[in-house]
Amino acid sequence: MSLPRRLAFIDVESTGAHPVRDRITEIAILRVEDGVLVERWESLVDPGIPIPPLIQQVTGITNDMVAGAPRFETLADQVQALLADCVFVAHNARFDFGFIKNAFDRIGRAFDARVLCTVKLSRALFPEHHRHGLDALIERHGLHCGARHRAMGDTEALWQFVQMAQAQFAPDVIARAAERAMKAPAQTPGLPEGLLEAIPDVPGVYLFHAEAEAPPPGRSDRPLFAARAVSLRARVREHFAASVRKGKDAELREQVRRVEWVETAGELDAILREAELVKRLRPPFNRVPESVDEAFALRLLDNRRRPPIYERVPIAGTDPAGWQGLHGVFRNRREAENLLRELALLYRLCPRRLGLESGTIGACSAFHAKRCAGVCARRESAAEHDARLLGGLASAGIKPWPWQGAIVVAERHAHSGREAYHAFDQWCHLGSVERREDLPSIDRTRRFDVDTWRLLGRWFAAPANMAAVEPLVPGEPG
């Protein structure tokens, strides 16, 4: 036959996308033998944990609906009997298979089956199309789905798709496509079944952990690595690709036993969350930035005849609107000295007067090399020298805030429906909220942070991002 004789079309709804952390809320199974539907079964499942509001909105399954439903352990015998001797058929099948397998694992029972993924089957039969999600299949092939995002509605749509495909293609074509659709992906050692397939194709941040289970509340859960992605699914899978065989990436891959992720409303949301996570958790496989608590700017001291001719002024946590006569933004002394060396070469400044070279008698080494205009050899005045220094430093400070007041950047992800509203003023992140109506509650106190300033500089360099800005408070200048 073109397809295996016994097929079990299955769909699960759950409290979330994580096959280990989340739980099943509904199961539907259609058992098909020799092309004939022989059994139809569905049940709500008490997950034992709350269903998040967003999931309730998507599926329509509420906490009240599952409160009196059976737990999975009560349904396990019936589920196993329905799936017995069948090929496990589902859309993005490793996701559903991972939830079923992990549900059996939690009650101490083994489960395994051959798996046929209808996403892969669609790709093999209809390679001219780019979209193979269930919504795309329903629209493209005119399938009937009585209740989208409910287990039985989605399962019936899959059975219709397979029937349509068998009617449209020759048995040998179906057989070759089914063989491709049943090819198991390479499993990643140490990770739960179905986890990589469960990761959503949305923006967010992800964390790799060395421990398979999260520690009890109150104990540290420091990750090995944390990062952001425009597509969580694509980026995480890259880490576990077969091509990752050596170096630090391979070392990280070998140590990962748990993957966690947080979906975000957009790229800026992910950028801000990544920066906060890396700074706070300091994962060992990340390039952790130096502490910004010691950030400083330079202020020239008037009428100084000998070095130092400037002072370092702490700026971390201060309000940029109150800065007077400050130049540059530096994490550490090395950054400041590197800039001063660059300015010395550009403007023929004296490294000794800049505090870059020791000594008090005679001309500096740069003067002998004809790279210093000679303030150290009395060839020019300190005022002339320092005027050029000020000119060079003028381009090193933070750019003026492009708007007259505080602004907000709104993000919304069309697929997930997640929203985020980020408020900024004078290059400071005032805060973020998930609902527009909560914007007035944001504390408008400005606290400067080097990392935020730098990431905003990159973000607003894109004209499209600049165009998305609006005033934090309607009617105020933005």
Side-chain angles (χ1 to χ4, degrees):
M1 291 185 63
S2 58
L3 288 174
R5 291 187 57 206
R6 296 185 181 89
L7 305 172
F9 292 82
I10 182 168
D11 184 76
V12 302
E13 302 299 333
S14 60
T15 61
H18 201 294
V20 176
R21 183 181 61 231
D22 291 307
R23 298 291 186 268
I24 295 172
T25 59
E26 188 176 41
I27 308 174
I29 301 174
L30 298 177
R31 184 178 173 104
V32 175
E33 297 182 6
D34 296 321
V36 178
L37 178 62
V38 297
E39 194 154 2
R40 169 194 170 102
W41 177 86
E42 64 181 320
S43 177
L44 289 169
V45 183
D46 181 358
I49 60 175
I51 305 173
L54 184 61
I55 300 297
Q56 293 185 55
Q57 293 174 19
V58 171
T59 65
I61 301 173
T62 66
N63 289 313
D64 290 340
M65 290 171 61
V66 299
R71 301 290 290 267
F72 181 81
E73 51 264 37
T74 304
L75 301 170
D77 287 341
Q78 193 168 7
V79 170
Q80 194 154 35
L82 286 164
L83 299 177
D85 303 319
C86 286
V87 171
F88 187 106
V89 184
H91 211 63
N92 191 24
R94 287 288 160 181
F95 172 86
D96 299 86
F97 183 78
F99 266 92
I100 293 295
K101 183 174 179 60
N102 280 286
F104 275 110
D105 286 345
R106 278 190 288 271
I107 61 174
R109 292 172 59 169
F111 174 78
D112 202 4
R114 292 188 299 158
V115 176
L116 189 156
C117 178
T118 49
V119 173
K120 295 180 180 179
L121 185 66
S122 177
R123 286 174 180 159
L125 294 172
F126 302 97
E128 68 274 19
H129 296 293
H130 298 291
R131 297 170 56 240
H132 298 275
L134 188 52
D135 286 327
L137 266 60
I138 291 171
E139 178 183 355
R140 185 156 59 236
H141 303 295
L143 308 178
H144 173 72
C145 182
R148 183 71 176 97
H149 295 300
R150 290 298 299 270
M152 183 54 74
D154 291 354
T155 303
E156 288 177 332
L158 294 183
W159 171 221
Q160 293 172 48
F161 169 71
V162 169
Q163 290 176 294
M164 177 277 301
Q166 286 183 299
Q168 184 171 341
F169 293 94
D172 61 326
V173 175
I174 293 289
R176 289 194 297 271
E179 183 179 1
R180 292 176 60 183
M182 293 176 65
K183 186 177 180 180
Q187 290 300 302
T188 303
L191 291 182
E193 177 74 45
L195 185 139
L196 294 183
E197 289 75 16
I199 298 174
D201 184 19
V202 296
V205 292
Y206 60 95
L207 302 95
F208 291 162
H209 293 266
E211 301 79 20
E213 298 289 337
R219 292 186 57 183
S220 173
D221 192 23
R222 184 188 184 197
L224 294 167
F225 181 74
R228 71 177 187 272
V230 175
S231 167
L232 286 170
R233 179 182 299 169
R235 184 68 189 94
V236 172
R237 286 182 176 181
E238 285 179 10
H239 286 280
F240 299 96
S243 58
V244 181
R245 297 178 179 176
K246 58 184 179 179
K248 194 172 183 179
D249 288 340
E251 183 183 352
L252 172 62
R253 171 179 170 170
E254 291 301 315
Q255 295 186 37
V256 176
R257 294 295 177 269
R258 176 164 50 99
V259 179
E260 302 287 353
W261 62 86
V262 177
E263 298 179 33
T264 61
E267 185 180 7
L268 181 58
D269 197 2
I271 290 171
L272 293 169
R273 289 176 185 255
E274 177 198 35
E276 188 277 329
L277 284 170
V278 172
K279 187 183 302 183
R280 175 168 54 88
L281 300 175
R282 305 183 71 80
F285 278 84
N286 279 88
R287 183 179 178 182
V288 179
E290 299 178 48
S291 172
V292 296
D293 295 338
E294 304 299 323
F296 64 89
L298 298 179
R299 177 188 286 140
L300 260 64
L301 301 172
D302 294 334
N303 302 317
R304 295 284 293 193
R305 297 183 60 185
R306 293 185 178 182
I309 62 171
Y310 52 80
E311 62 178 341
R312 289 193 287 269
V313 180
I315 56 175
T318 66
D319 183 353
W323 294 356
Q324 295 293 329
L326 299 186
H327 304 280
V329 175
F330 309 102
R331 288 177 180 273
N332 50 50
R333 183 175 178 175
R334 182 183 66 256
E335 284 188 0
E337 290 182 348
N338 287 342
L339 175 63
L340 291 172
R341 287 191 177 92
E342 181 180 340
L343 295 179
L345 289 173
L346 288 173
Y347 299 102
R348 300 186 69 209
L349 301 176
C350 178
R352 183 179 295 168
R353 185 161 178 80
L354 297 181
L356 303 175
E357 180 180 307
S358 60
T360 58
I361 301 174
C364 71
S365 59
F367 177 77
H368 294 298
K370 298 183 180 180
R371 295 195 302 269
C372 166
V375 68
C376 52
R378 298 184 180 182
R379 298 295 180 88
E380 69 170 344
S381 68
E384 291 173 316
H385 174 277
D386 294 351
R388 294 201 309 282
L389 173 59
L390 277 173
L393 286 172
S395 62
I398 68 171
K399 296 179 180 178
W401 183 238
W403 300 277
Q404 295 183 43
I407 55 99
V408 62
V409 176
E411 292 187 295
R412 186 181 189 279
H413 192 265
H415 176 71
S416 69
R418 295 181 183 277
E419 295 183 349
Y421 300 87
H422 313 288
F424 305 99
D425 193 10
Q426 297 293 331
W427 305 107
C428 299
H429 181 207
L430 303 181
S432 297
V433 294
E434 295 181 356
R435 304 185 308 166
R436 183 179 287 276
E437 53 265 38
D438 292 334
L439 283 171
S441 66
I442 289 179
D443 181 3
R444 297 180 67 171
T445 303
R446 296 181 289 256
R447 299 177 180 87
F448 184 78
D449 177 87
V450 174
D451 293 328
T452 301
W453 165 63
R454 289 180 175 173
L455 71 85
L456 288 181
R458 293 189 293 269
W459 175 260
F460 288 125
N465 295 336
M466 287 282 283
V469 166
E470 57 187 282
L472 175 58
V473 178
E476 286 190 3

